[in-house]
Amino acid sequence: MTAYTGQELLDTLNDKGLADWQARNDSIGTRLLTGDFATGLDLVNKIGAAAEEAGHHPDITLTFPHVDIQLTSHDTDAVTERDLDLAVTISKLAASAGVKADPIAD
């Protein structure tokens, strides 16, 4: 399993169209601007269902008026394809809910 770090991680985020995600030391993250708690809760439930289906679980913080998401593969202490695939799914769920991301804010 490839562990993505540094420039390779930045390039991979770009290649996968994940401009709404920010590379961190051993993870990727984003802030989803839900605007209200109910929208955030609905989105978190959808993300939770997708995570269960993928067998890979993000760290999620639900607050008013946003949801913070962080993904890492704990078994490698790095970002792997599992994280990138789930990030793509989460971005699609957010877009379908009309929720924009602000990856720099968190």
Side-chain angles (χ1 to χ4, degrees), residues 33-70:
L33 306 174
T34 58
D36 62 72
F37 190 80
T39 300
L41 182 58
D42 184 54
L43 184 56
V44 165
N45 285 329
K46 290 176 181 172
I47 292 168
E52 281 297 309
E53 185 175 316
H56 190 57
H57 305 97
D59 293 330
I60 301 174
T61 304
L62 169 62
T63 63
F64 174 83
H66 60 266
V67 175
D68 290 335
I69 309 285
Q70 185 167 320

Side-chain angles (χ1 to χ4, degrees), residues 7-20:
Q7 190 61 48
E8 182 182 26
L9 176 56
L10 294 172
D11 292 344
T12 303
L13 288 172
N14 186 52
D15 292 346
K16 291 189 174 282
L18 292 170
D20 50 342

